[in-house]
Amino acid sequence: MHGADDTIHRRIEELTGIKESARDGDERATGRQHAKGKLTAHERIALLLDKGSFTEVEPLRRHRASGFGLEAKKPHGDGVVTGWGTVEGRTVFVYAHDFRIFGGALGEAHATKIHKIMDMAEAAGAPLVSLNDGAGARIQEGVSALAGYGGIFRRNTRASGVIPQISVMLGPCAGGAAYSPALTDFVFMVRETSQMFITGPDVVKAVTGEEITQNGLGGADVHARESGVAHFAYDDEETCIAEVRYLLGLLPSNNRELAPVERSGDPADRRGDALLDLVPVQSGQAYDIRRVVEEIVDDGEHFEVHPAWAPNLVCSLARLDGHVVGIVANNPSAMAGVLDIEASEKGARFVQFCDAFNIPLVTLVDVPGFLPGVDQEHNGIIRRGAKLLYAYCNATVPRISLVLRKAYGGAYIVMDSRSIGADLALAWPTNEIAVMGAEGAANVVFRREINAAEDPDAVRAQRIAEYKSELMHPYYAAERGLVDDVIDPRDTRPVLIRSLAMLRAKHADLPSRKHGNPPQ
């Protein structure tokens, strides 16, 4: 018996040493990672998950490839750490590239580990977070490595709308590898250390002659402000990962659950006196819609998605009486709040996400129309603007729209109007719902009369006033049943909370079909 004890103790000691060696890695490689301002895979996971909650899967996996020196280098883990843990007590699955091993490059064994954890996340109905820091496909393994990406993409697509998928970019992501983050729900990036591009600066220079740095081509701010690929950009990994944790706290674990409720001390019946001063009565005067959102939601807290891209439309996750809602709002402080190509695509994607994960939608409307221009038309404002329309029409979650001031033309219809299926359509007494602004309407309807008049300016002013009084007064839409009620702005919060409570049990079925064919 004593001999048996010695054997098992030796085996346990050996196992412990192997696992510690795999976790700690090469000391010099760790030093190089830290010198770049980057954490190791295990350090990142420790920041993401609750302390002591991480359970690793396949830490001893090794590749079986040979050739090009691979047979002499078979580290445990094969360059990716996979497993699960908890965030605020709720299960979350994670995989993290270990850049210290093969530069985090994806090989066959590496990919198989990721496939397994993705399948486990979907089966368990829990969010999946990928901590990306890899150099793409492992060239020495050839097409086997590329096939591994195909398996990831297929699983990203299958899990879309089933579990939340979050990609955190903490290093380079080039070539086909960039398509996995693009298939997920949210992309986080860290300035200076993370980049995403299909073809790198060297290839760009060889093909087009353009010279550009990695960050200039695909850095965090480029994707957060210009391309819209990244939803969030932060200065350091610690802040970035802390914000991932915060976002997870706003999301349900899967599409069969509701987002967690978190009660606050903010009274449900609190009136918003400040709203009377935040929104100017004059429709042409700018203001920041985010201040309005802060006044309405619990404790003034909202988590804005894509804050730097298409700022003329604000998309945020927030709570009303503890329940998570998605807020879509025109922002008159940016481009007068018009809808353009980028705002339409931003809004459509957000609406689809909220609908997939049972998050009610509140739409705050103050929109002068779609952005006119040759570039907009030639770049497809019709098909791309239709994405937002399609997303709203297809959404079955509770939907409430509130017109604050102007709501003109097709943009009014698209911004979740009653006619496309909003459950409740409300308005403030400052609303102007019309085909177009009074000035433009008068110039079209009374053009001949104005041109023939001795005093065109006087006639134009008269006709504008008449048009406003007859077709744009605050109760015109309400009188025709297009708005359910005109409310005191100060009552916005309690009215929304009561309305959402009523709609919480809403059930709506879409027609039987394989899937729709949304505009592209």
Side-chain angles (χ1 to χ4, degrees):
M1 291 295 292
H2 185 70
D5 286 344
D6 283 347
T7 300
I8 191 63
H9 286 307
R10 285 199 303 271
R11 294 286 178 88
I12 292 172
E13 185 177 344
E14 179 185 34
L15 173 64
T16 301
I18 291 172
K19 287 191 173 182
E20 286 181 352
S21 176
R23 183 182 66 249
D24 297 339
D26 180 80
E27 190 175 324
R28 289 172 299 176
T30 300
R32 289 192 295 269
Q33 184 82 342
H34 287 163
K36 295 176 184 176
K38 296 161 65 177
L39 301 174
T40 66
H42 281 282
E43 288 169 341
R44 289 163 173 165
I45 290 172
L47 287 175
L48 175 68
L49 301 177
D50 296 338
K51 186 175 182 180
S53 70
F54 181 55
T55 298
E56 190 170 351
V57 174
E58 295 194 350
L60 304 181
R61 187 69 177 260
R62 305 166 90 173
H63 73 76
R64 294 175 292 180
S66 60
F68 304 101
L70 285 178
E71 65 277 2
K73 188 177 182 182
K74 294 188 176 184
H76 290 106
D78 201 48
V80 65
V81 180
T82 61
W84 79 88
T86 59
V87 173
E88 300 297 336
R90 300 165 65 221
T91 300
V92 172
F93 287 79
V94 60
Y95 70 84
H97 298 132
D98 190 342
F99 195 83
R100 300 172 302 171
I101 298 176
F102 300 126
L106 182 136
E108 186 177 14
H110 180 123
T112 302
K113 288 182 64 175
I114 295 175
H115 297 167
K116 180 171 185 175
I117 211 67
M118 294 179 79
D119 291 340
M120 291 175 69
E122 184 181 350
L128 174 70
V129 178
S130 62
L131 303 176
N132 297 271
D133 185 7
R138 197 173 297 170
I139 298 171
Q140 300 95 317
E141 294 194 30
V143 73
S144 296
L146 288 178
Y149 277 122
I152 293 173
F153 302 158
R154 179 164 57 88
R155 287 168 172 82
N156 283 140
T157 303
R158 190 176 65 193
S160 179
V162 178
I163 56 172
Q165 299 180 83
I166 298 173
S167 297
V168 189
M169 315 312 296
L170 301 166
C173 184
Y179 282 114
S180 176
L183 289 169
T184 61
D185 299 305
F186 297 103
V187 176
F188 288 71
M189 293 188 74
V190 176
R191 294 183 177 94
E192 302 303 323
T193 56
S194 66
Q195 302 88 27
M196 296 174 68
F197 36 69
I198 299 300
T199 54
D202 292 342
V203 176
V204 169
K205 183 179 179 181
V207 174
T208 70
E210 299 170 286
E211 292 192 19
I212 193 166
T213 64
Q214 286 196 347
N215 280 319
L217 182 63
D221 285 323
V222 167
H223 287 309
R225 296 179 184 277
E226 298 180 35
S227 73
V229 170
H231 299 77
F232 312 98
Y234 299 99
D235 290 332
D236 57 78
E237 293 191 13
E238 291 82 358
T239 302
C240 180
I241 294 174
E243 292 296 279
V244 174
R245 283 178 59 91
Y246 183 81
L247 174 59
L248 286 167
L250 292 167
L251 304 180
S253 292
N254 56 64
N255 64 344
R256 301 181 303 278
E257 299 181 8
L258 297 176
V261 178
E262 187 175 295
R263 301 294 182 184
S264 76
D266 198 346
D269 59 356
R270 172 176 59 79
R271 301 190 84 203
D273 293 327
L275 292 172
L276 301 182
D277 298 319
L278 285 174
V279 181
V281 174
Q282 297 300 321
S283 62
Q285 196 169 339
Y287 65 94
D288 192 340
I289 193 66
R290 288 170 294 192
R291 304 290 83 80
V292 175
V293 173
E294 290 165 5
E295 182 62 27
I296 294 170
V297 302
D298 290 358
D299 303 313
E301 293 183 3
H302 66 111
F303 192 69
E304 188 175 351
V305 176
H306 267 143
W309 184 60
N312 41 319
L313 190 75
V314 169
C315 298
S316 285
L317 293 167
R319 283 189 166 89
L320 282 168
D321 196 29
H323 296 269
V324 176
V325 296
I327 296 175
V328 181
N330 308 111
N331 190 8
S333 70
M335 299 170 61
V338 297
L339 285 178
D340 63 351
I341 287 171
E342 291 184 346
S344 298
E345 293 187 332
K346 171 181 174 177
R349 175 76 168 170
F350 183 75
V351 168
Q352 287 171 175
F353 174 83
C354 291
D355 185 50
F357 290 102
N358 310 310
I359 298 173
L361 289 161
V362 174
T363 303
L364 305 180
V365 185
D366 192 347
V367 61
F370 281 93
L371 180 65
V374 174
D375 286 346
Q376 289 287 305
E377 297 294 345
H378 287 187
N379 287 314
I381 184 66
I382 295 174
R383 65 177 174 85
R384 295 163 80 177
K387 293 181 182 182
L388 181 56
L389 178 60
Y390 188 99
Y392 269 126
C393 290
N394 205 45
T396 60
V397 292
R399 292 157 48 190
I400 301 175
S401 66
L402 172 62
V403 179
L404 309 186
R405 293 194 312 185
K406 55 191 176 296
Y408 296 159
Y412 152 63
I413 298 299
V414 169
M415 289 296 294
D416 205 20
S417 63
R418 160 55 69 79
S419 59
I420 66 168
D423 296 296
L424 283 172
L426 306 171
W428 284 0
T430 46
N431 80 81
E432 295 179 1
I433 302 174
V435 175
M436 63 176 66
E439 290 79 4
N443 286 335
V444 171
V445 176
F446 306 109
R447 182 179 65 247
R448 290 182 179 177
E449 179 185 351
I450 291 171
N451 290 339
E454 291 185 8
D455 188 348
D457 291 340
V459 173
R460 182 182 292 107
Q462 179 186 348
R463 293 307 188 189
I464 289 172
E466 288 176 4
Y467 188 87
K468 281 185 175 181
S469 65
E470 292 183 24
L471 297 178
M472 291 180 65
H473 62 79
Y475 313 107
Y476 184 86
E479 290 169 358
R480 284 151 183 80
L482 299 174
V483 168
D484 292 294
D485 196 11
V486 179
I487 65 171
D488 185 330
R490 295 171 293 184
D491 293 330
T492 299
R493 173 179 165 84
V495 168
L496 288 176
I497 288 173
R498 288 198 301 269
S499 300
L500 288 167
M502 176 273 295
L503 289 166
R504 202 154 288 138
K506 174 188 175 182
H507 178 76
D509 289 321
L510 291 171
S512 178
R513 59 182 174 182
K514 187 174 182 180
H515 56 74
N517 186 24
Q520 297 297 323

